[in-house]
Amino acid sequence: MVIPRHDWTLAEVEALFARPFMELVFEAASVHRHYFNPNEVQKSQLLSVKTGGCAENCGYCSQSASFKTGLKAEKLMEPTAVIAEAMAAKAGGASRFCMGAAWRELKDRDTPKLAAMISGVKALGLETCATLGMLNADQARQLKEAGLDYYNHNLDTGPEYYDQVVTTRSYQDRLDTLQHVRDAGMNTCCGGIVGMGESRRDRAGLLHALATLPVHPDSLPVNALVPVGGTPLGERILQEGEIHPIEFVRTVAVARLVCPRSIVRLSAGREGMSAEMQALCFLAGANSIFVGGKLLTTPNPEEDHDAALFRMLDLQPMPLKDSISA
């Protein structure tokens, strides 16, 4: 039995990355099977409930007001429209519905409308998740009371590379929000993005930071950067090339080993991944995906494409009760 640890050293995580690929994936697959059914993958759907105009300067993001990406800022959606989207997501097989807003932090004036969205989605029998920027303790409690199950707040990258990604909020700001979420009794959804020009040590630094949190993330998204023209990191990667598929699979495998009970989500970037690459990711411990043709503002595989992938790999959607208890 693999007992989750919170005392990983950065050197130990780097050593996992350096292991022979076949051995690494085999060990990650073995750990995965101890905690999860390897043939089940959770389906979540993500909706942008407030798009564009964000005050943050995250160097990868099309929604930042700091960059000219051609994306038009929009107002916060009405709860009835969001609930209708959630109904469609449930009909398409999603068990978790995530709502994302392009904000630096949640404003108190928007909390009532968000609470109506959350309670309405919850009433459909779906897990609820939101990503709304930074929260204070009182806001976290209000979201919990509205029925929010998960709050997403990614660390993005390792602490040493962080200032190459964003300078408008600190690493500690992110850790503080996660603490407010935990204190309110909500589950955390926290991961990062790889393929932003960082080193393997930076990827190890991200996973080390996640593995040494007081509680491991309940959901751990591993995103592959989708380079967006007009963003600093997007322009860089369009010139230098994206992360190698095998290195991405290594990252998934190490995430499974250091956070063995977390649901590891294969998140942004799947549109550009082959079926074979996704199969390796599932073998290495990924057991969640976003479904639907759009992921906030970036493309995502369509429903029929994912249905074909599930048939090809003999995968089944993870039952709701299992994803809650994990």
Side-chain angles (χ1 to χ4, degrees), residues 67-95:
F67 315 126
K68 294 181 179 180
T69 63
L71 187 71
K72 182 180 177 182
E74 299 176 0
K75 294 182 178 180
L76 182 63
M77 292 177 65
E78 292 299 321
T80 51
V82 172
I83 294 166
E85 293 279 357
M87 291 176 66
K90 183 178 181 181
S95 61

Side-chain angles (χ1 to χ4, degrees), residues 58-279:
C58 303
Y60 53 81
C61 187
S62 64
Q63 302 197 69
S64 172
S66 300
F67 315 126
K68 294 181 179 180
T69 63
L71 187 71
K72 182 180 177 182
E74 299 176 0
K75 294 182 178 180
L76 182 63
M77 292 177 65
E78 292 299 321
T80 51
V82 172
I83 294 166
E85 293 279 357
M87 291 176 66
K90 183 178 181 181
S95 61
R96 182 182 300 178
F97 190 73
C98 307
M99 294 155 275
W103 287 324
R104 184 174 189 272
E105 68 274 311
L106 176 60
K107 299 291 194 301
D108 289 336
R109 66 174 181 266
D110 294 311
T111 303
K113 186 178 282 190
L114 287 161
M117 293 179 195
I118 292 164
S119 60
V121 173
K122 185 75 171 177
L124 299 175
L126 290 164
E127 287 182 12
T128 54
C129 180
T131 178
L132 312 167
M134 292 184 288
L135 298 178
N136 60 39
D138 185 58
Q139 290 168 336
R141 285 193 296 270
Q142 291 181 60
L143 295 177
K144 170 65 175 178
E145 290 171 1
L148 192 62
D149 297 308
Y150 289 80
Y151 194 80
N152 167 262
H153 201 64
N154 289 334
L155 295 181
D156 280 359
T157 189
E160 293 182 3
Y161 193 67
Y162 184 78
D163 62 1
Q164 300 299 307
V165 177
V166 56
T167 59
T168 48
R169 78 172 85 168
S170 70
Y171 217 70
Q172 190 59 49
D173 287 335
R174 295 180 184 268
L175 295 173
D176 290 345
T177 289
L178 291 170
Q179 186 62 56
H180 295 322
V181 170
R182 289 191 296 268
D183 289 345
M186 285 186 286
N187 298 301
T188 56
C189 176
C190 184
I193 307 169
V194 299
M196 297 190 292
E198 78 284 348
S199 66
R200 177 181 283 184
R201 179 181 175 84
D202 294 319
R203 291 188 281 279
L206 167 64
L207 295 180
H208 173 255
L210 295 171
T212 54
L213 288 170
V215 179
H216 288 169
D218 301 279
S219 290
L220 197 167
V222 181
N223 297 275
L225 179 69
V226 178
V228 176
T231 63
L233 291 174
E235 293 289 350
R236 173 179 174 178
I237 299 307
L238 287 170
Q239 293 183 10
E240 297 180 0
E242 299 180 23
I243 188 171
H244 193 282
I246 295 299
E247 184 68 15
F248 185 88
V249 177
R250 279 188 188 275
T251 306
V252 170
V254 176
R256 171 54 64 208
L257 290 175
V258 299
C259 295
R261 290 179 58 89
S262 300
I263 291 180
V264 176
R265 181 178 296 124
L266 188 56
S267 296
R270 281 202 310 119
E271 175 74 4
M273 296 180 188
S274 68
E276 294 83 357
M277 179 180 173
Q278 292 183 70

